[in-house]
Amino acid sequence: ILAVEGLHKQVMPFVLRRTKAQVLSDLPPKIVQDIYCDMSPLQAQLYEDFQASAASAEVSSVLRAAASGGDDGGNGGGKAHVL
């Protein structure tokens, strides 16, 4: 604990505390780029197995509940992005 406190005292003068609103004008525009690629045979098999499993149905159910404003597991109603 003493080491952490010592490090904290040394680093704190150099830590900048800025909010998102303060840095938003300094950031470049967001670039989103979707790149599609083929799956390997193993990846395709794993994907098909997952789609056929109960876990896939559970994930879909949770995402539908979150999208409709239902119980989302406590993440504050945030959006989910599934890769």
Side-chain angles (χ1 to χ4, degrees):
I1 295 178
L2 293 176
V4 173
E5 290 174 0
L7 179 63
H8 182 48
K9 286 179 183 177
Q10 289 178 337
V11 172
M12 278 310 293
F14 302 101
V15 174
L16 298 176
R17 296 195 181 265
R18 296 172 66 190
T19 63
K20 182 178 179 180
Q22 292 171 324
V23 299
L24 198 54
S25 62
D26 298 338
L27 297 175
K30 184 176 180 180
I31 298 172
V32 177
Q33 189 174 21
D34 293 330
I35 300 174
Y36 295 94
C37 59
D38 295 327
M39 291 188 278
S40 72
L42 176 60
Q43 289 172 321
Q45 184 62 48
L46 290 170
Y47 179 76
E48 290 171 12
D49 291 347
F50 176 76
Q51 288 298 100
S53 73
S56 176
E58 184 176 344
V59 168
S60 295
S61 173
V62 169
L63 291 176
R64 276 193 300 276
S68 67
D71 182 20
D72 56 5
N75 69 1
K79 295 181 180 178
H81 183 87
V82 178
L83 299 175

